[in-house]
Amino acid sequence: KAKELLDKIVYHKRYKAFQKWLTTQNLQSYAQYQQDLFAQYFFRGKRDLFFVDIGANDGISLSNTYLLENANWGGGAHRSR
């Protein structure tokens, strides 16, 4: 039970740090739950990043990778038929 509580505290601190970072950015999220912005936050300062998007919709709406593509990440999207 103590580990569960500790995990929640650590998660909460990381989430608060992410939220604080968001206030300093001028980015629009295209993803449903800001997954694209979280990837930008999590990998900030890293170089030569790459993504793979399997099952992409139209490539923009509800896209987890459109923002990354425009931020010069390498990668590609596969749209299922």
Side-chain angles (χ1 to χ4, degrees):
K1 207 160 192 169
K3 182 175 178 353
E4 289 177 24
L5 180 60
L6 182 60
D7 288 345
K8 287 180 183 180
I9 291 169
V10 169
Y11 171 80
H12 181 70
K13 286 183 179 180
R14 287 183 182 154
Y15 181 75
K16 297 269 284 178
F18 171 58
Q19 291 297 315
K20 184 177 179 181
W21 176 82
L22 279 179
T23 65
T24 67
Q25 305 301 305
N26 186 23
L27 297 171
Q28 174 187 350
S29 177
Y30 295 91
Q32 187 172 6
Y33 298 111
Q34 298 181 327
Q35 297 95 321
D36 50 356
L37 293 175
F38 183 77
Q40 288 280 81
Y41 168 74
F42 187 81
F43 293 106
R44 66 192 183 281
K46 305 288 185 201
R47 297 170 38 124
D48 301 323
L49 297 168
F50 189 87
F51 68 87
V52 175
D53 190 348
I54 305 297
N57 188 23
D58 64 5
I60 298 174
S61 59
L62 300 178
S63 173
N64 294 333
T65 56
Y66 182 69
L67 178 74
L68 306 178
E69 184 177 352
N70 288 324
N72 296 319
W73 285 43
H78 174 72
R79 181 177 175 193
S80 57
R81 293 179 183 209

